[in-house]
């Protein structure tokens, strides 16, 4: 009862409607659960692997979560059109809670090989990935359909900005948790029980947003008539029917293509982060990755917090300009400025290493213009571009394309950095960003102030059928005359 009253009071205190608050908290949990492993795995490695000695296991755990996210985006996008956005979102919360709590109780499968704890974590994060992946299409669609046409972009951008807050919460909570319970090494030195309590708490806290939202039995996406994605008792069109509709092809290229290209650069950029942080904060790579030192060079939590803080304002600048400039213009300028910044890093990286503060600014601005650019717009565009009956489904397809790009960026840039150097990888990021400008310019529509309820797949399909029938009728006399 207390949990239910707390959730209701939280919703009542917010200046937004119910659907937007639920979507915002869901996004906060999604970002936190995706990012917290970046800090937790360092603590886990120090406890079970004696430092950075089980990279392959860590990579598998990260890749499995991305795979789960793709599955969740494709599955729950369609479920949102069948059962309603709100009901589907509740299912994703259950999976997110289960995955987070399972991650927190991970133990090695093989007592003689501590690294197998990451096998347990990989299985748990597969469940978690499916849950958080499903949040992407559902939260975007719920918040878009809960907003008026005049401020829809701003409202959905505010919902998405909670991912920036979730990202910042990871190092902040890391600092607090480690200060209270200590690291695995310090707990072992003092003979404390549960040596890995710090990373277990960090992972378990990912269940909190879902636990807050779970008592809300009335699905938020079903409050409005358009929320369920259905017309009467009719079943929603299939994914294949949506993909075969020609009017959706350029929309899909613009939304899914832009999201794919952005995530290639965004997740590829995270590969460079440890190297850049070592240069900026004068960290010693031979000493591993300290998380609780008394200076910036020995405290990973503070380093991650600074990088997150540089990028965070970009979300709110995007919120302010989203309805003024439009999604298309913001996405183009974001991609263009990212291309410029990546080019600067590719050309002047060696020189910038001698000026750490300037390197931090240039590198940090890639995150700022990601957020005041395609990171925000790719989340919004599918929720207002596609017809009502398949809006959640196609949103899931576009989000899955993004996570596919994330997989390409995460896996593809590692060998590039190893074989050709970081400069070449930055050149590739610049190329992807420029291609993003072209795709956006050619295929993205400006949907500002348009009524979302006015778009219909059934109407589009009927129009295409009629056009095809008219074309056949016009061709028939000519064929008969030829015979």
């Amino acid at each position: 009862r207390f949990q239910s009253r707390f959730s209701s009071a939280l919703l009542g205190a917010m200046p937004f409607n119910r659907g937007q608050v639920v979507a915002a908290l869901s996004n906060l949990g999604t970002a936190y659960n995706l990012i917290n492993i970046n800090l937790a795995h360092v603590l886990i490695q120090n406890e079970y692997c004696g430092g950075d000695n089980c990279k392959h296991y860590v990579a598998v755990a990260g890749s499995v979560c991305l795979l789960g996210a793709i599955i969740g985006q494709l599955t729950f996008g369609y479920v949102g059109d069948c059962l309603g956005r709100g009901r589907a979102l509740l299912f994703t919360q259950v999976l997110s809670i289960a995955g987070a709590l399972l991650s927190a109780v991970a133990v090695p499968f093989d007592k003689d090989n501590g690294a197998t704890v990451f096998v347990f974590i990989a299985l748990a994060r597969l469940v978690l990935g499916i849950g958080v992946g499903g949040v992407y299409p559902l939260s975007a669609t719920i918040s878009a359909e809960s907003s008026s046409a005049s401020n829809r972009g701003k409202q959905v951008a505010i919902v998405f900005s909670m991912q920036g807050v979730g990202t910042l919460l990871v190092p902040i909570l890391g600092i607090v948790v480690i200060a209270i319970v200590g690291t695995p090494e310090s707990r072992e030195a003092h003979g404390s029980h549960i040596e890995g309590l710090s990373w277990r708490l960090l992972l378990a806290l990912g269940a909190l947003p879902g636990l807050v939202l779970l008592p809300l039995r009335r699905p938020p996406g079903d409050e409005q008539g358009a929320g369920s994605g259905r017309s009467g008792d009719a079943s929603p069109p299939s994914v294949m029917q949506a993909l075969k509709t020609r009017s959706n092809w350029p929309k899909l290229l613009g939304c899914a293509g832009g999201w794919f290209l952005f995530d290639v650069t965004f997740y590829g950029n995270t590969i460079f982060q440890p190297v850049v942080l070592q240069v900026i904060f004068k960290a010693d790579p031979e000493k591993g990755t300290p998380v609780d030192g008394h200076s910036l060079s020995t405290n990973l939590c503070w380093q991650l917090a600074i990088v997150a803080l540089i990028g965070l304002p970009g979300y709110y600048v995007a919120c302010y300009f989203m309805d003024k400039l439009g999604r298309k213009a913001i996405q183009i300028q974001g991609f263009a400025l990212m291309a410029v910044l990546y080019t600067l890093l590719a050309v002047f990286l060696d020189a910038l290493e001698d000026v750490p503060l300037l390197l931090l600014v240039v590198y940090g601005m890639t995150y700022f213009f990601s957020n005041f650019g395609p990171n925000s717009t790719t989340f919004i565009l599918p929720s207002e571009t596609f017809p009502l009956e398949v809006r959640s489904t196609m949103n899931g397809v576009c989000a899955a394309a993004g996570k596919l790009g994330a997989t390409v960026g995460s896996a593809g840039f590692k060998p590039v950095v190893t074989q050709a150097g970081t400069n070449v990888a930055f050149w590739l990021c610049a190329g992807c960003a420029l291609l993003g400008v072209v795709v956006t310019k050619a295929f993205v529509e400006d949907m500002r102030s348009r009524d979302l309820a006015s778009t219909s797949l059934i109407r589009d399909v009927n129009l295409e059928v009629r056009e095809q029938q008219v074309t056949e009728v016009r061709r028939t006399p000519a064929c008969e005359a030829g015979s």
Side-chain angles (χ1 to χ4, degrees):
R1 291 181 180 179
F2 171 77
Q3 187 183 16
S4 180
R5 287 197 299 268
F6 175 77
S7 300
S8 299
L10 180 64
L11 289 173
M14 296 290 183
F16 306 103
N17 66 48
R18 186 172 178 275
Q20 291 165 347
V21 172
V22 171
L25 290 177
S26 299
N27 266 279
L28 184 149
T30 292
Y32 180 86
N33 280 310
L34 286 175
I35 300 296
N36 60 10
I37 193 65
N38 293 345
L39 177 58
H41 88 258
V42 176
L43 295 166
I44 299 169
Q45 285 182 135
N46 292 342
E47 179 179 356
Y48 287 104
C49 306
D52 191 14
N53 299 314
C54 45
K55 295 180 180 179
H56 295 297
Y57 284 95
V58 174
V60 169
S63 300
V64 165
C65 191
L66 288 176
L67 173 62
I70 293 173
I71 294 172
Q73 288 160 342
L74 294 174
T75 302
F76 283 102
Y78 182 70
V79 171
D81 283 324
C82 294
L83 300 182
R85 328 297 197 211
R87 291 186 180 89
L89 189 62
L90 286 179
F91 290 139
T92 68
Q93 295 303 324
V94 172
L95 290 173
S96 298
I97 293 169
L101 295 179
L102 282 172
S103 300
V105 298
V107 293
F109 280 118
D110 184 353
K111 292 183 179 180
D112 297 325
N113 184 3
T116 57
V117 69
F118 284 105
V119 178
F120 192 121
I121 290 175
L123 295 175
R125 288 184 68 81
L126 176 63
V127 176
L128 177 68
I130 294 173
V132 299
V135 169
Y136 276 83
L138 296 170
S139 63
T141 305
I142 288 172
S143 55
E145 293 175 344
S146 301
S147 306
S148 65
S150 60
N151 68 347
R152 185 173 59 238
K154 178 181 178 180
Q155 296 294 333
V156 181
I158 289 173
V159 166
F160 182 68
S161 70
M162 294 302 288
Q163 290 207 7
V165 176
T167 300
L168 180 60
L169 277 177
V170 173
I172 290 178
L173 289 177
I175 293 169
V176 173
V177 169
I178 292 172
I180 295 174
V181 305
T183 63
E185 298 91 336
S186 64
R187 292 181 67 82
E188 181 182 13
H190 290 87
S192 302
H193 297 292
I194 316 179
E195 294 174 5
L197 184 59
S198 54
W199 64 263
R200 294 182 190 279
L201 285 175
L202 280 173
L203 295 178
L205 285 170
L208 189 57
L211 290 172
V212 171
L213 296 175
L214 201 58
L216 304 175
R217 302 298 181 190
R218 185 164 57 93
D222 296 336
E223 290 178 345
Q224 58 268 3
S228 65
R230 293 173 291 179
S231 178
D233 295 326
S235 299
S238 67
V239 178
M240 291 308 300
Q241 184 177 357
L243 294 175
K244 288 179 180 179
T245 305
R246 286 176 295 174
S247 60
N248 284 335
W249 294 352
K251 299 175 182 178
L252 191 62
L253 279 173
C255 295
W259 208 333
F260 174 87
L261 290 168
F262 169 70
D263 272 12
V264 169
T265 64
F266 187 79
Y267 281 82
N269 201 11
T270 61
I271 300 299
F272 320 135
Q273 193 173 93
V275 176
V276 174
L277 291 179
Q278 286 173 5
V279 172
I280 293 172
F281 299 113
K282 306 298 184 183
D284 185 354
E286 299 299 326
K287 295 183 179 180
T289 309
V291 295
D292 62 338
H294 299 291
S295 65
L296 279 175
S297 63
T298 59
N299 194 311
L300 178 63
C301 293
W302 283 111
Q303 295 172 13
L304 294 175
I306 289 173
V307 173
L309 281 170
I310 292 175
L312 187 61
Y315 288 102
Y316 301 109
V317 176
C319 292
Y320 181 78
F321 286 107
M322 194 60 68
D323 290 308
K324 299 177 183 296
L325 300 178
R327 300 36 145 175
K328 183 173 184 175
I330 289 176
Q331 184 158 307
I332 288 175
Q333 66 86 26
F335 270 130
L337 290 171
M338 286 166 60
V340 171
L341 291 166
Y342 285 131
T343 300
L344 289 174
L345 288 168
V347 175
F348 300 109
L349 181 61
D350 295 334
L352 287 171
E353 289 180 358
D354 297 326
V355 191
L357 181 60
L358 183 58
L359 175 59
L360 176 63
V361 171
V362 176
Y363 183 70
M365 291 302 285
T366 64
Y367 286 100
F368 176 86
F369 285 108
S370 293
N371 299 333
F372 178 35
N375 197 21
S376 296
T377 54
T378 52
F379 180 81
I380 298 171
L381 283 168
S383 65
E384 58 184 10
T385 298
F386 294 101
L388 169 65
E389 299 91 341
V390 293
R391 185 170 295 144
S392 181
T393 299
M394 298 305 290
N395 202 319
V397 171
C398 294
K403 281 295 174 282
L404 180 61
T407 304
V408 171
S410 298
F413 279 102
K414 286 182 180 179
V416 171
V417 172
T418 302
Q419 299 296 325
T422 306
N423 303 68
V424 174
F426 277 131
W427 278 117
L428 291 177
C429 284
C432 287
L434 284 175
L435 189 55
V437 172
V438 175
V439 169
T440 304
K441 182 69 174 177
F443 298 109
V444 169
E445 299 180 51
D446 187 351
M447 299 295 294
R448 282 179 294 173
S449 302
R450 295 193 191 181
D451 183 11
L452 295 185
S454 64
T455 58
S456 170
L457 177 68
I458 296 174
R459 183 191 61 195
D460 292 344
V461 171
N462 289 338
L463 285 174
E464 290 184 9
V465 170
R466 289 172 189 167
E467 290 176 359
Q468 186 175 1
Q469 290 174 342
V470 170
T471 302
E472 291 176 354
V473 169
R474 288 175 177 172
R475 288 176 177 174
T476 301
C479 293
E480 292 176 350
S483 62

